[in-house]
């Protein structure tokens, strides 16, 4: 930062946990405020657009379009950045701990913002993973879907439906089983069964969908 060291000492420290769009927008709103020092703690050194992942997991060749490999292009000017997964938060001491290069680092704060979104295996990258490992994971999932004859998707929410639909469109001959706790998804399955690429016989489309409650 270009601020004078004496001024920095009297500034309130705002720490934002998260490296995605929400954390970025928080920093953009706060960084210009007087007497605030803004720090973002991002678990990963790349940015991935989670809304695109249900499609990218089925078509890994599109993955590069859903990631920003150079985090510098995503940074907010005037914001300090730390990289590594947050392992603990001490609310009483107003300090969080994150792991950077295998070492625990303490970071004090006056205000803490948690903008991490939510965790979902495969759809979100693992905390602290490298870009190379994430790309390899997406390729592995895509290959597994391509070679499978039956794919089970656990979860009947928007992400599960999007993933199941992406598989269904890309591979109309595969059987897709959608497992959900809700009865609502059963009605949606009949609609999804009718979604396919042009020229796919209606009978084949309908047989390729199954729904189950769990």
């Amino acid at each position: 930062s270009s601020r004078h060291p004496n001024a920095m000492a009297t500034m309130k420290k705002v720490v934002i946990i998260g490296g995605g769009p929400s954390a970025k927008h928080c920093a953009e709103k706060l960084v210009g405020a007087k007497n605030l020092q803004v720090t973002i703690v991002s678990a990963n050194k790349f940015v991935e657009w989670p809304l695109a992942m249900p499609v990218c997991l089925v078509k890994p060749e599109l993955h590069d379009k859903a990631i920003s490999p150079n985090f510098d292009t995503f940074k907010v000017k005037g914001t300090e950045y730390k990289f590594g997964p947050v392992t603990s938060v001490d609310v009483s001491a107003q300090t969080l701990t994150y792991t950077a290069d295998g070492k625990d680092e303490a970071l004090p704060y006056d205000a803490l913002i948690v903008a991490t979104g939510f965790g979902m295996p495969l759809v979100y990258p693992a905390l602290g993973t490298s870009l190379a490992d994430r790309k390899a994971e997406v390729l592995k999932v895509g290959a597994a879907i391509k070679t499978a004859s039956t794919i089970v998707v656990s979860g009947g929410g928007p992400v599960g439906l999007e993933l199941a639909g992406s598989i269904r469109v890309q591979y109309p001959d595969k059987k897709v089983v959608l497992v959900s706790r809700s009865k609502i998804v059963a009605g949606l399955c009949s609609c999804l069964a009718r979604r396919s690429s042009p020229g796919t016989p209606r009978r084949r489309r309908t047989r390729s969908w199954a729904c189950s409650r769990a």
Side-chain angles (χ1 to χ4, degrees):
S1 172
S2 61
R3 295 186 176 108
H4 192 277
N6 291 336
M8 294 285 287
T10 60
M11 296 177 73
K12 295 292 185 180
K13 299 179 177 64
V14 179
V15 175
I16 304 170
I17 304 175
S22 295
K24 177 181 172 69
H25 295 328
C26 285
E28 288 171 339
K29 292 293 185 181
L30 295 172
V31 74
K34 189 176 181 180
N35 297 326
L36 284 185
Q37 178 186 349
V38 181
T39 302
I40 282 181
V41 183
S42 175
N44 302 322
K45 294 183 178 181
F46 62 92
V47 180
E48 184 178 83
W49 186 240
L51 295 181
M53 291 315 298
V55 175
C56 293
L57 290 172
V58 181
K59 302 177 70 174
E61 65 273 15
L62 299 178
H63 189 211
D64 283 342
K65 296 183 178 181
I67 56 177
S68 178
N70 182 5
F71 203 100
D72 288 343
T73 62
F74 199 73
K75 287 182 177 180
V76 177
K77 186 178 180 180
T79 301
E80 185 178 3
Y81 283 81
K82 307 288 185 181
F83 292 98
V86 173
T87 56
S88 65
V89 176
D90 188 331
V91 178
S92 299
Q94 290 188 297
T95 302
L96 66 79
T97 302
Y98 67 98
T99 302
D101 299 322
K103 297 180 180 179
D104 288 342
E105 302 284 350
L107 185 63
Y109 64 84
D110 294 298
L112 181 66
I113 299 173
V114 180
T116 55
F118 58 93
M120 184 173 290
L122 300 181
V123 175
Y124 274 72
L127 300 180
T129 192
S130 67
L131 179 58
D133 287 345
R134 176 55 171 165
K135 285 188 171 184
E137 179 182 42
V138 172
L139 286 172
K140 183 178 179 180
V141 173
I145 292 174
K146 184 176 182 179
T147 58
S149 57
T150 301
I151 300 104
V152 178
V153 178
S154 179
V159 176
L161 289 171
E162 182 69 22
L163 178 57
S166 296
I167 297 170
R168 183 68 187 84
V169 170
Q170 182 69 12
Y171 302 108
D173 291 327
K174 295 184 185 297
K175 181 179 181 181
V176 181
V177 179
L178 190 63
V179 181
S180 174
R181 291 181 297 177
S182 172
K183 292 181 178 180
I184 297 175
V185 75
L188 294 173
C189 280
S190 60
C191 296
L192 287 168
R194 293 191 290 272
R195 291 180 55 194
S196 66
S197 55
T200 303
R202 184 182 183 88
R203 182 178 298 173
R204 181 187 300 171
R205 291 201 306 261
T206 305
R207 280 206 309 255
S208 296
W209 277 100
C211 290
S212 176
R213 293 183 63 201

